[in-house]
Every structure is written in structure tokens, then in C-alpha cells.
């Protein structure tokens, strides 16, 4: 896919713009990653990361960015014995996770609508 895309971008003055547009268009329909509580899921194959081809995967970023990342950092730290275990029932944790997923999806939808609006205005004002 990367090779095909690179050939499609070309080497003219519009190649960078084509690359950004096509990359966005191809990545937009990809399934969005979701947070989940491992204690809720019985099927461990759901922990698999397709693109990285690893059986167990946990993703998190800087804990200053998102509440979900703070939770992942705390759980990982507790599992390594660096802090006291978090005392929360898995059902309560899954409720928190569902809320984080809902907010993330809402944010993504607003971003998409904003992009669509910008593009519509851009096309309207350009001959």
C-alpha cells in the first residue's frame, strides 16, 4: 500500500498536497482503537494488535493528555509493583472506559465535521 501511494503522490509541486489528502482519505475509514478493561473480555485474541502483529498490546501516551492514559499508567505501574493496586471493580473500570471511548468518538466526529465544513467553504470561495 505504501509503495502504491508513493507512486501516486508523484514528484511535482502538488505531490505533498496529494500525499496529505490521500493519506487522510485512506486512514479515515480505519477502525478506531478502543479502550477496554481486560477483565471484562474473555477472548484474549481481542488484545491482539493487527498492524504490529503482537498478541498483547497496550497503548498509552503521556498521562498529561488524556484521562484514559492516566488510568493505563497507574494500572501498569501497579502491575509492576511500583505503586499500590487500584481498588476498583472491573465493571466500574469498564464504565469509565466506555465514557472515554464515547468522548473520543465524539471528538473525532467533531474534527471530521470541521474538516468537511472547511473544505466546503474552501471550494465555495475558490473558482
Amino acid at each position: 500500500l505504501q509503495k502504491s501511494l508513493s507512486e501516486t503522490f508523484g514528484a511535482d509541486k502538488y505531490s505533498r498536497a496529494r500525499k496529505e489528502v490521500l493519506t487522510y482519505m485512506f486512514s479515515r475509514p480505519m477502525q478506531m482503537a478502543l479502550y477496554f478493561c481486560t477483565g471484562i473480555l474473555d477472548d484474549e485474541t481481542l488484545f491482539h494488535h493487527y498492524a504490529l502483529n503482537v498478541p498483547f498490546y497496550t497503548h498509552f501516551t503521556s498521562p498529561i493528555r488524556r484521562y484514559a492514559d492516566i488510568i493505563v499508567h497507574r494500572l501498569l505501574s501497579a502491575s509492576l509493583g511500583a505503586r499500590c493496586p487500584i481498588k476498583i471493580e472491573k465493571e466500574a473500570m469498564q464504565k469509565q472506559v466506555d465514557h472515554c471511548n464515547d468522548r473520543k468518538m465524539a471528538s473525532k466526529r467533531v474534527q471530521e465535521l470541521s474538516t468537511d465544513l472547511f473544505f466546503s467553504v474552501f471550494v465555495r470561495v475558490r473558482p
Side-chain angles (χ1 to χ4, degrees), residues 69-92:
D69 295 318
I70 293 170
I71 296 300
V72 171
H73 275 251
R74 289 178 181 170
L75 290 169
L76 185 57
S77 181
S79 70
L80 295 173
R83 65 171 289 143
C84 296
I86 296 175
K87 298 190 188 301
I88 185 170
E89 295 294 322
K90 58 187 172 186
E91 291 79 11

Side-chain angles (χ1 to χ4, degrees), residues 105-120:
M105 284 186 214
S107 173
K108 182 174 173 60
R109 183 68 182 136
V110 168
Q111 180 184 13
E112 290 170 352
L113 291 171
S114 173
T115 300
D116 292 347
L117 177 63
F118 174 81
F119 182 71
S120 298

Side-chain angles (χ1 to χ4, degrees), residues 9-61:
F9 300 151
D12 61 2
K13 66 180 181 179
Y14 299 110
S15 63
R16 182 173 179 192
R18 260 195 305 277
K19 178 181 180 181
E20 288 182 28
V21 168
L22 291 173
T23 301
Y24 174 74
M25 290 175 69
F26 280 113
S27 64
R28 189 173 179 178
M30 289 183 175
Q31 184 179 13
M32 210 163 113
L34 297 174
Y35 296 105
F36 61 90
C37 180
T38 58
I40 297 293
L41 301 178
D42 293 327
D43 184 2
E44 288 189 2
T45 61
L46 296 173
F47 305 165
H48 182 262
H49 190 287
Y50 177 78
L52 297 176
N53 194 26
V54 293
F56 297 100
Y57 179 79
T58 297
H59 172 83
F60 55 89
T61 60

